[in-house]
Structure formats: structure tokens, C-alpha cells
Amino acid sequence: MLVRLLYASRAIASPQPDTIHDIMCQSHAHNPAQGITGILCHSEHVYMQVLEGGREAVNGLYAKIVRDPRHTDVVLLHYEEINERRYAGWTMGKANLARINPSTLLRFSDLPGLNPHAMSGKNSLALIDELMASASVVGHP
């Protein structure tokens, strides 16, 4: 059974390039064997990540994420059973949300600054899809 999970969290401190790099390296090293794909979006203050894969693997990874000391206020924004993956091409892509045009954010949020804790899961997924469509997502598929 495939599932899609989207969560948001707040960074304990402003993520340093090394922190994001470490997260991406861990994802590329471990996700393929677990059949997990997805995208990590980040800014100075927040993370937003969508994970897809088998229910057991995604739930297990999410449990680890909740305990990860690099962030706090982890909130589940969206969880659903799916028939097919939307992010199958990414072992873990990434997008720096600080570089997103405020007008793009206004399409999905009430304010031009990103606050995924105040956005619906549906709008958060729509924003991630927009980032993919505009080639704002980078990384190794």
C-alpha cells in the first residue's frame, strides 16, 4: 500500500548549508532501499517535506523525523493512501523556500511569507507541485 505524507516543522536554529546537505545525503543513502521518494522544502525557519512510499516505511521514517533534534513543532499536514506516486523521480529533491517569489506564495497562502503551520495540507501540496513545475526543486533523482 502506497501513502503520501506531508509534514511541517520549525527549525531549532537557522538551517546551515551543512544541515541541509546532511539531510539530503541521509535521504539519498537510505530512501532508495526503503522505496521512499519525496521533496524537502526549507527556509531559515521552517521545513516542509512530502514523503511517498510503502505505509510501513513512510510511517517509520516519520517517527524518526518527529524525534530529530534539528527541528521542533512537527505537525502532520496531510496523509493519504495513493494509487501512484507524484514524486517518483526524486529519492529526495529540495527547494529553498527563501528564494520563492512572494507572489507564488500568495497563490496558496494568506500572506507572502511561508508559514506551513497555518496552511492547509491541500495548499501545501499545491505549492510543492508549483515548485516542481517551475523547476525550483533541485537534487539528485
Side-chain angles (χ1 to χ4, degrees):
M1 166 155 324
L2 288 174
V3 298
R4 179 177 300 123
L5 180 151
L6 172 67
Y7 76 90
S9 66
R10 289 186 171 83
I12 294 292
S14 293
Q16 302 301 311
D18 289 348
T19 302
I20 301 301
H21 182 320
D22 289 347
I23 292 170
M24 296 303 292
C25 285
Q26 288 174 336
S27 296
H28 293 298
H30 300 289
N31 289 357
Q34 297 296 315
I36 294 175
T37 57
I39 296 175
L40 171 67
C41 302
H42 63 91
S43 72
E44 288 186 30
H45 306 288
V46 298
Y47 297 107
M48 186 168 65
Q49 187 173 31
V50 61
L51 303 169
E52 294 178 326
R55 181 171 45 202
E56 186 175 324
V58 169
N59 291 351
L61 179 55
Y62 181 67
K64 288 179 185 177
I65 289 167
V66 169
R67 295 186 307 268
D68 189 321
R70 294 175 283 201
H71 55 118
T72 187
D73 296 331
V74 180
V75 62
L76 183 64
L77 298 175
H78 182 82
Y79 187 92
E80 69 177 321
E81 295 175 355
I82 57 175
N83 292 322
E84 62 184 61
R85 295 172 194 250
R86 190 180 291 170
Y87 311 105
W90 299 95
T91 55
M92 192 52 60
K94 72 173 180 167
N96 185 340
L97 297 171
R99 296 182 181 163
I100 304 304
N101 186 318
S103 64
T104 299
L105 291 173
L106 279 173
R107 290 181 52 211
F108 305 101
S109 179
D110 59 342
L111 297 172
L114 180 72
N115 182 2
H117 289 80
M119 293 173 62
S120 72
K122 180 180 176 183
N123 281 3
S124 299
L125 282 172
L127 173 60
I128 292 171
D129 288 344
E130 176 68 23
L131 297 176
M132 281 185 48
S134 66
S136 297
V137 176
V138 297
H140 301 290

